[in-house]
C-alpha cells in the first residue's frame, strides 16, 4: 500500500511486479526463502502484464523455452487450488496453420521435436480444422497441427495468484515504490536505493519489463531490450463462439485468433513493427495504452480477418495497442549479469512473458538459491549479449524485425536483415569484392559463403539445398584437396597477464597450462558440476602472459567467467585485444606450401609442430602463427596486427593462385568440422554436458597440481563406469536427405536422443550430424556399434551409420602431418 515503510534489509529484492517478478518471488518462497522483498513502481501488472493475451502455446523454438512453457502451463493449472486465487485457465487447445509447403515442412519438423520434448501434437486435415472451427476458412491450408493440451489464462489473475502464493510463503510485496539506484561493493550489488530509502540486499533481480534497460543502467548493467507497439483487436459479439474454441495460430497471416467473452480477439505480429519509448517511458505510465494507428494497421487487420471471413462483416469493438519489450535475437534475457555479481535479470520476453512466466520464475529462483540454473539455458542467458547491444539506435532498428519474427518462416541459416554492419573487420571490403555473402554473429559481419563471379551473394532460403550449397561444396573440397582461406577476425581474444596468470588459468582449465611459451592448448572451463562453460584455446606467450581465444558469441560469458573466478588477491590483468588482431586461417594440404612461399621462416614440421605458436614474417610484416585446425587438415591460424593485415592478405592471395587457394566461409567450416566430429560450444557441448559424455576427457589433466574446477565431479562419474549419455557422430546412408539439428535419433526403433548439429559432409558423401544418445546401463562402444540407428527428419526415417570416433581421418594424421 502507498506509504508503507520499507525494511532496512532483505535477502533478495525483486524490482518489478509483473508476472515475471511475482513468479520469481513465489518460487523463491517455494525453496524456503522468506526474506524476499518485491518492489513495484506503481501497481502489480500495470506495465505489460495486464494487457497480455494470456496464450499458453507450449511448443517454442528451443527445448529450453518449451520446457519453461510446459512448466508454466502445469503451474497455472494447479495455482488456483493452492492459493485460492482464480487464474482463469481454459484448456481450449491450439491449432497451428500452414499455408505453404515450406511452412508445413517446418511445422512437421516442429511436431517431431514437440513429441521429443513431451508436448502432445497431432497433424490434422483442413476438414478437421473446419470441424473444430466452423467459422474458419480452410481453403488455403497445406497442413494443420492440433496441440490439445494448450490453453489460455487471465494474465492479471494468474499474476495475483503468484503474488498471493509468494505472500503466503513469507514474501513482502510493496507497491508505489520507485527504484532510484543501487549500492555496490567490489563488484557485488549490496542494496537498492528507492524514493523511500535504502534497502540492503544480498541479491537483486531486475524484473522491470519495459523499464528493465533503464533499471539496468542504474547499476551499470546492460539489458538490451526495447518496447514496440503490439496490437490486437476485439470484435463485436459473434454467434457460434464459445470458450473452448482452440486458439488459431496463423503465421501466414501474422496473426492469432481466439475467443474472448463471446467475441474474437485477433492478435497481430506484423513483419515491420514500430518501436516505442525511444525518448523514455512517461513517468505516469500505469495501465497505459498507445493511440492506435489505424492507417498503418489496416492491411494487416484485413489480412488476418480473412481467416474468419465473418469478421469482415462484424464491427470492431476495440483496436488495442500496448507496449511490449523485445530483444535483439528474440530470446529472453535471464541470469546473473556479467558486470555485477548477484545482480540478476529476468526481462525481455518478446510477448511471451505469460507463457514462460512460471518456468522463468522457477529457473531464476534455483539460479539465485543454488548458484546455477536447473537446466541449460544458454539460449536465454543474458551473458550471450554484448554491451553495445544496448545502443538505442541499434535496438530501434532491430526491434522493427524482432516483433514479427516468431510468425515468419524459420528457415535454416536465416539471417537478420535489420541493424546489420555493426562490426566489420578491416578485411570486409576485400571479402565483399571476393563475392562474400555475409552472416552476422555478435554484431560481426562474417563471410558465410562466396558466390562465383557474376552471381549475387544473397540467400535463397528453402528446406532443401539452398542456393549456396554447391558454392560451399567447392569451398569444402578446396580445404580437403588444396587450401582454403577463412577470414575469422571476429574471434574474441583476451590477454591474461601477471605473475599469477598461470595459477588462475590452470585452476579454470581442464588441461595443464604450465607449458613452455609458444605452446597452444585446447581446453575447457568447467563449472563445479563438471559441465562445460567454455571451449577454447589458451596459448602461453611468456612466463606471465597468455592469449585466450574464443568464439565471438561467447566472449561476454568467457570474460565474465575469467574475471569472476580470479581471486581478489591474484595479480592478474585481463585485457580484450580482439580488435588488435585480424585473423586469417589457412587450411588444407597445400597451406604450408603456400605460407612457406611468402615467409622466410622455417615452417617445416620439425620446426613448427602442431599445437605451437611462432612469430613469423610475411613481406614487411610480422605476425603470430598458430599451427591449429578446426577443419581436420594441416593448417595455420594467422593472428595479424590490424595495421598489417591488408598487405598480408594481398600477398597470400597473389601467392595462392599457384596452389588453388579459394576463399571459404563459415558454412564450409561447419561442414568440415562436423565431418571431423569437432564439437561446437552451445550446440554439441554446454553447461549440462561434461567432458566424459562429450568425448573430451583427453583434455583433462587429472593429476596436475591444484586440480581444476569440476574435477571432483568428473572423478566420481568416471569411477561409476560408462557415461549414460555419449556424443556420437552419424552419417546418413542415403546421400540425398539434409539434416540441421534437433532431429530425433532412434536405436533399434527406440528414441535415444536428438542431433545437436548437422551439415552436409561433402567428403563423406551424405548428411553428417552429432548428437547425444542415452542408455541407463551405459552408452559404451557396443551400445553404439551393435545397433541399427535411424534419424527422423520431418516425417521420414533415414538409416545412419554411428561412430564414437571421427569418421574422417580418425587418427588426425592429416592435421599433424610433418
Amino acid at each position: 500500500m502507498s506509504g508503507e515503510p520499507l525494511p532496512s534489509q532483505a535477502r533478495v529484492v525483486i524490482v518489478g511486479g509483473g508476472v515475471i517478478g511475482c513468479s520469481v518471488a513465489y518460487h523463491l518462497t517455494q525453496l524456503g526463502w522468506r526474506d524476499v522483498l518485491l518492489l513495484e513502481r506503481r501497481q502489480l501488472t500495470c506495465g505489460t502484464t495486464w494487457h497480455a493475451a494470456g496464450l499458453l502455446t507450449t511448443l517454442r523454438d528451443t527445448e529450453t523455452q518449451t520446457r519453461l512453457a510446459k512448466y508454466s502451463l502445469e503451474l497455472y493449472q494447479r495455482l488456483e487450488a493452492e492459493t485460492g486465487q482464480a487464474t482463469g485457465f481454459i484448456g481450449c487447445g491450439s491449432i497451428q496453420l500452414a499455408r505453404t509447403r515450406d511452412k508445413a515442412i517446418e511445422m512437421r519438423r516442429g511436431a517431431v521435436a514437440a513429441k521429443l520434448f513431451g508436448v502432445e501434437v497431432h497433424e490434422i486435415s483442413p476438414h478437421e480444422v473446419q470441424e473444430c472451427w466452423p467459422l474458419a476458412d480452410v481453403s488455403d491450408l497445406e497442413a494443420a497441427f492440433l496441440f490439445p493440451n494448450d490453453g489460455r489464462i487471465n494474465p492479471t489473475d494468474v499474476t495475483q495468484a503468484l503474488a498471493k502464493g509468494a505472500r503466503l510463503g513469507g514474501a513482502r510485496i510493496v507497491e508505489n515504490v520507485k527504484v532510484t539506484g543501487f549500492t555496490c561493493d567490489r563488484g557485488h550489488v549490496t542494496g537498492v536505493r528507492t524514493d523511500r530509502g535504502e534497502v540492503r540486499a544480498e541479491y537483486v533481480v531486475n524484473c522491470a519489463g519495459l523499464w528493465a534497460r533503464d533499471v539496468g543502467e542504474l547499476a551499470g548493467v546492460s539489458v538490451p531490450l526495447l518496447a514496440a507497439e503490439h496490437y490486437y483487436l476485439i470484435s463485436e459479439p459473434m454467434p457460434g463462439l464459445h470458450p473452448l474454441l482452440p486458439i488459431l495460430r496463423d503465421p501466414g497471416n501474422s496473426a492469432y485468433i481466439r475467443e474472448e467473452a463471446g467475441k474474437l480477439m485477433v492478435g497481430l505480429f506484423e513483419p515491420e513493427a514500430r518501436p516505442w519509448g525511444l525518448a523514455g517511458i512517461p513517468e505516469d505510465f500505469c495501465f497505459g495504452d498507445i493511440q492506435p494507428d489505424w492507417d498503418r494497421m489496416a492491411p494487416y487487420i484485413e489480412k488476418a480477418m480473412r481467416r474468419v471471413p465473418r469478421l469482415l462483416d462484424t464491427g470492431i469493438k476495440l483496436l488495442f495497442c500496448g507496449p511490449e519489450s523485445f530483444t535483439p535475437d528474440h530470446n529472453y534475457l535471464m541470469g546473473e549479469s556479467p558486470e555485477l555479481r548477484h545482480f540478476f535479470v529476468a526481462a525481455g520476453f518478446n510477448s511471451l512473458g505469460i507463457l514462460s512466466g512460471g518456468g522463468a520464475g522457477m529457473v531464476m529462483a534455483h539460479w539465485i538459491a543454488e548458484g546455477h540454473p536447473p537446466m541449460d539455458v544458454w539460449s536465454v542467458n543474458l551473458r550471450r549479449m554484448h554491451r553495445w547491444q544496448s545502443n538505442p539506435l541499434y535496438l530501434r532498428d532491430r526491434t522493427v524485425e524482432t516483433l514479427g519474427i516468431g510468425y515468419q518462416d524459420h528457415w535454416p541459416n536465416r539471417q537478420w536483415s535489420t541493424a546489420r554492419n555493426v562490426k566489420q573487420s578491416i578485411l570486409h571490403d576485400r571479402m565483399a569484392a571476393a563475392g562474400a555473402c555475409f552472416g552476422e554473429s555478435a554484431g560481426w559481419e562474417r563471410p558465410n559463403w562466396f558466390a562465383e563471379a557474376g552471381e549475387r551473394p544473397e540467400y535463397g532460403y528453402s528446406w532443401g539445398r539452398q542456393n549456396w550449397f554447391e558454392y560451399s561444396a567447392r569451398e569444402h573440397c578446396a580445404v580437403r584437396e588444396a587450401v582454403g582461406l577463412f577470414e575469422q577476425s571476429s574471434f574474441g581474444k583476451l590477454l591474461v597477464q601477471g605473475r599469477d596468470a598461470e595459477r588462475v588459468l590452470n585452476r579454470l582449465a581442464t588441461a595443464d597450462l604450465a607449458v613452455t611459451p609458444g605452446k597452444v592448448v585446447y581446453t575447457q572451463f568447467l563449472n563445479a558440476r563438471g559441465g562445460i562453460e567454455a571451449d577454447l584455446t589458451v596459448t602461453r606467450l611468456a612466463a606471465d602472459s597468455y592469449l585466450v581465444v574464443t568464439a565471438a558469441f561467447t566472449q561476454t560469458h568467457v570474460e565474465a567467467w575469467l574475471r569472476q573466478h580470479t581471486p581478489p588477491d591474484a595479480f592478474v590483468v585481463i585485457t580484450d585485444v580482439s580488435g588488435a588482431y585480424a585473423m586469417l586461417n589457412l587450411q588444407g594440404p597445400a597451406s604450408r606450401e603456400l605460407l612457406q612461399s611468402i615467409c622466410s621462416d622455417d615452417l617445416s614440421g620439425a620446426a613448427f609442430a602442431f599445437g605451437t605458436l611462432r612469430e613469423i614474417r610475411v613481406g614487411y610484416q610480422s605476425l603470430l602463427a598458430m599451427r591449429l585446425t578446426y577443419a581436420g587438415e594441416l593448417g595455420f591460424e594467422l593472428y595479424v596486427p590490424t595495421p598489417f593485415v591488408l598487405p598480408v592478405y594481398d600477398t597470400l592471395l597473389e601467392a595462392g593462385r599457384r596452389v588453388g587457394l579459394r576463399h571459404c566461409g563459415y558454412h564450409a567450416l561447419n561442414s568440415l568440422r562436423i565431418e571431423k566430429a569437432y564439437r561446437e560450444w552451445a550446440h554439441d557441448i554446454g553447461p549440462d554436458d561434461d567432458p566424459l559424455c562429450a568425448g573430451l576427457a583427453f583434455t583433462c589433466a587429472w593429476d596436475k597440481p591444484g586440480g581444476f574446477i569440476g574435477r571432483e565431479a568428473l572423478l566420481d562419474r568416471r569411477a561409476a563406469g560408462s557415461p549414460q549419455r555419449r556424443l556420437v557422430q552419424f552419417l546418413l546412408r542415403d546421400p540425398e536427405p539434409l539434416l540441421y539439428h534437433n532431429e530425433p535419433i532412434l536405436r533399434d526403433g527406440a528414441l535415444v536422443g536428438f542431433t545437436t548439429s548437422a551439415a552436409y559432409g561433402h567428403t563423406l558423401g551424405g548428411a553428417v550430424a552429432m548428437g547425444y544418445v542415452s542408455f541407463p546401463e551405459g552408452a559404451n562402444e557396443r551400445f553404439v556399434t551393435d545397433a541399427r540407428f535411424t534419424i527422423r527428419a520431418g516425417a521420414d526415417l533415414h538409416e545412419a551409420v554411428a561412430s564414437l570416433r571421427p569418421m574422417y581421418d580418425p587418427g588426425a594424421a592429416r592435421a599433424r602431418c610433418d
Side-chain angles (χ1 to χ4, degrees):
M1 64 183 66
S2 180
E4 181 180 351
L6 299 182
S8 61
Q9 64 180 32
R11 191 175 185 188
V12 57
V13 175
I14 299 165
V15 181
V19 67
I20 304 299
C22 290
S23 181
V24 174
Y26 167 83
H27 284 92
L28 281 170
T29 63
Q30 293 291 299
L31 294 179
W33 287 41
R34 299 290 175 259
D35 192 8
V36 176
L37 175 65
L38 186 150
L39 303 178
E40 164 54 43
R41 58 178 288 279
R42 294 284 182 170
Q43 296 172 251
L44 296 186
T45 79
C46 75
T48 294
T49 297
W50 73 276
H51 62 73
L55 309 185
L56 300 177
T57 51
T58 45
L59 178 62
R60 309 317 310 164
D61 293 340
T62 67
E63 181 182 12
T64 294
Q65 294 181 24
T66 299
R67 291 175 68 180
L68 298 187
K70 278 187 63 185
Y71 177 88
S72 297
L73 177 67
E74 295 160 1
L75 172 66
Y76 299 161
Q77 286 177 301
R78 69 174 188 264
L79 202 55
E80 182 172 348
E82 179 184 325
T83 65
Q85 166 69 48
T87 62
F89 175 78
I90 299 173
C92 57
S94 75
I95 299 175
Q96 198 174 35
L97 308 175
R99 293 176 54 198
T100 66
R101 181 178 177 275
D102 282 330
K103 195 65 176 178
I105 293 172
E106 177 189 326
M107 288 186 181
R108 287 190 181 107
R109 292 178 61 88
V112 170
K115 294 173 183 177
L116 185 67
F117 301 157
V119 175
E120 184 178 353
V121 57
H122 308 281
E123 183 168 355
I124 60 176
S125 67
H127 176 70
E128 290 171 301
V129 176
Q130 189 87 72
E131 288 182 335
C132 295
W133 246 95
L135 297 178
D137 177 9
V138 299
S139 62
D140 63 345
L141 295 185
E142 179 77 21
F145 300 82
L146 172 66
F147 296 79
N149 297 323
D150 286 354
R152 57 190 175 97
I153 53 95
N154 182 299
T156 298
D157 287 349
V158 81
T159 304
Q160 293 293 349
L162 289 165
K164 185 174 181 180
R167 290 188 182 101
L168 290 171
R172 186 173 176 184
I173 298 175
V174 184
E175 298 177 304
N176 295 300
V177 180
K178 181 179 179 180
V179 170
T180 59
F182 299 91
T183 58
C184 310
D185 182 41
R186 287 177 290 186
H188 285 66
V189 68
T190 58
V192 181
R193 295 191 180 102
T194 79
D195 57 1
R196 294 203 221 159
E198 187 175 307
V199 181
R200 295 191 302 279
E202 295 179 40
Y203 301 88
V204 169
V205 193
N206 177 1
C207 301
L210 301 173
W211 296 267
R213 182 163 56 95
D214 297 334
V215 169
E217 287 179 353
L218 295 174
V221 170
S222 173
V223 184
L225 57 77
L226 183 68
E229 296 180 359
H230 182 43
Y231 285 84
Y232 61 74
L233 66 84
I234 304 292
S235 74
E236 295 288 354
M238 294 175 60
L241 303 181
H242 58 84
L244 291 179
L245 273 176
I247 301 159
L248 286 182
R249 291 184 282 162
D250 190 7
N253 289 317
S254 304
Y256 65 82
I257 302 172
R258 74 163 177 84
E259 185 272 347
E260 173 66 22
K263 300 175 281 292
L264 283 183
M265 172 188 285
V266 181
L268 303 170
F269 285 89
E270 69 274 22
E272 293 187 23
R274 176 177 289 171
W276 181 84
L278 281 166
I281 301 172
E283 182 66 28
D284 61 351
F285 193 82
C286 179
F287 295 108
D289 59 357
I290 302 167
Q291 183 68 31
D293 186 339
W294 284 88
D295 291 338
R296 187 174 78 84
M297 297 305 297
Y300 305 115
I301 293 171
E302 181 177 355
K303 185 179 178 182
M305 281 182 163
R306 294 191 182 280
R307 179 59 60 203
V308 183
R310 191 178 296 178
L311 273 169
L312 295 167
D313 301 318
T314 304
I316 296 176
K317 183 179 181 67
L318 171 69
L319 178 61
F320 180 86
C321 180
E324 298 195 14
S325 56
F326 293 85
T327 65
D329 63 358
H330 201 255
N331 283 335
Y332 320 147
L333 303 176
M334 294 172 55
E336 187 177 22
S337 77
E339 300 97 338
L340 188 62
R341 297 303 308 271
H342 291 182
F343 187 99
F344 286 80
V345 175
F349 282 85
N350 302 284
S351 202
L352 299 173
I354 300 297
L355 172 65
S356 299
M362 177 272 291
V363 167
M364 294 298 299
H366 281 274
W367 208 331
I368 294 164
E370 298 166 6
H372 60 86
M375 63 181 79
D376 182 358
V377 293
W378 173 253
S379 65
V380 298
N381 193 321
L382 178 64
R383 295 188 180 195
R384 76 188 186 279
M385 309 306 289
H386 301 258
R387 285 192 67 84
W388 60 264
Q389 290 178 295
S390 285
N391 182 308
L393 295 180
Y394 168 81
L395 290 171
R396 178 199 67 186
D397 292 347
R398 176 54 62 84
T399 300
V400 169
E401 186 176 6
T402 52
L403 179 141
I405 198 74
Y407 275 66
Q408 296 174 25
D409 288 295
H410 302 135
W411 306 111
N413 304 298
R414 176 171 176 160
Q415 302 295 318
W416 292 97
S417 60
T418 57
R420 294 291 296 269
N421 293 303
V422 176
K423 299 181 184 180
Q424 294 183 354
S425 83
I426 196 169
L427 289 162
H428 181 272
D429 290 349
R430 296 285 208 280
M431 296 297 109
C437 182
F438 293 96
E440 182 237 328
S441 178
W444 285 95
E445 295 294 320
R446 310 189 311 177
N448 277 350
W449 55 277
F450 287 83
E452 303 286 358
E455 299 291 334
R456 294 180 64 85
E458 296 177 355
Y459 277 93
Y461 295 119
S462 76
W463 284 95
R465 285 164 165 75
Q466 294 183 4
N467 64 319
W468 51 267
F469 184 86
E470 293 300 331
Y471 300 142
S472 190
R474 288 192 278 272
E475 296 168 20
H476 180 112
C477 293
V479 172
R480 292 282 184 247
E481 298 166 7
V483 59
L485 175 64
F486 299 86
E487 198 281 300
Q488 294 185 274
S489 302
S490 62
F491 268 70
K493 309 166 194 79
L494 302 172
L495 193 61
V496 182
Q497 298 171 289
R499 64 170 178 258
D500 294 323
E502 178 188 308
R503 174 171 67 90
V504 169
L505 285 171
N506 228 10
R507 177 63 180 157
L508 295 181
T510 54
D512 191 352
L513 300 182
V515 294
T516 58
K519 179 65 177 173
V520 185
V521 180
Y522 170 58
T523 188
Q524 288 82 44
F525 293 168
L526 308 184
N527 54 46
R529 307 177 309 284
I532 300 170
E533 293 287 347
D535 181 69
L536 34 71
T537 61
V538 181
T539 301
R540 188 160 208 167
L541 303 177
D544 61 351
S545 180
Y546 289 84
L547 180 66
V548 176
V549 177
T550 187
F553 76 96
T554 68
Q555 183 172 338
T556 299
H557 175 60
V558 169
E559 185 172 354
W561 193 265
L562 277 168
R563 294 186 185 281
Q564 292 176 3
H565 289 83
T566 298
D569 62 345
F571 192 87
V572 169
V573 176
I574 301 168
T575 309
D576 178 8
V577 295
S578 301
Y581 294 91
M583 201 268 265
L584 292 168
N585 192 352
L586 284 177
Q587 294 290 318
S591 59
R592 178 188 285 131
E593 178 185 350
L594 168 57
L595 192 57
Q596 187 68 82
S597 72
I598 58 173
C599 175
S600 58
D601 301 275
D602 182 1
L603 304 182
S604 66
F608 197 171
F610 181 82
T612 61
L613 170 140
R614 290 185 56 189
E615 184 177 34
I616 66 172
R617 288 153 292 187
V618 173
Y620 299 145
Q621 291 77 34
S622 296
L623 54 97
L624 298 177
M626 295 183 190
R627 190 176 158 196
L628 291 176
T629 184
Y630 195 47
E633 301 295 336
L634 173 67
F636 300 86
E637 294 182 0
L638 309 179
Y639 291 83
V640 189
T642 302
F644 288 170
V645 73
L646 290 176
V648 167
Y649 167 81
D650 292 341
T651 302
L652 279 169
L653 200 62
E654 178 62 30
R657 302 183 198 281
R658 297 189 296 274
V659 290
L661 177 69
R662 179 180 283 270
H663 288 90
C664 299
Y666 275 83
H667 290 334
L669 186 62
N670 194 46
S671 63
L672 290 159
R673 69 97 185 167
I674 294 177
E675 277 195 332
K676 192 63 180 70
Y678 286 148
R679 283 65 166 146
E680 182 176 12
W681 196 83
H683 285 275
D684 310 303
I685 50 178
D688 284 354
D689 309 307
D690 64 48
L692 300 175
C693 71
L696 296 173
F698 67 89
T699 71
C700 296
W702 300 103
D703 300 323
K704 68 176 177 177
F708 54 87
I709 294 173
R711 174 180 176 272
E712 288 71 22
L714 292 187
L715 287 173
D716 289 343
R717 288 176 206 162
R718 190 174 68 167
S722 296
Q724 295 182 349
R725 294 172 69 241
R726 292 291 295 274
L727 188 63
V728 178
Q729 187 184 32
F730 298 91
L731 170 66
L732 296 190
R733 294 184 185 274
D734 183 345
E736 291 305 313
L738 299 179
L739 298 175
Y740 300 104
H741 69 283
N742 274 350
E743 292 95 358
I745 302 167
L746 293 88
R747 180 185 185 272
D748 295 335
L751 179 68
V752 291
F754 57 93
T755 62
T756 53
S757 62
Y760 196 85
H762 300 285
T763 308
L764 294 177
V768 188
M770 287 190 284
Y772 287 94
V773 300
S774 298
F775 187 55
E777 297 177 19
N780 54 26
E781 181 84 27
R782 290 189 59 187
F783 176 81
V784 173
T785 57
D786 297 354
R788 174 178 173 265
F789 281 93
T790 52
I791 296 178
R792 183 179 294 279
D796 301 320
L797 274 176
H798 303 287
E799 294 272 351
V801 179
S803 177
L804 287 172
R805 300 187 71 205
M807 295 184 190
Y808 179 78
D809 188 25
R814 294 177 67 88
R816 297 174 181 273
C817 67
D818 291 333

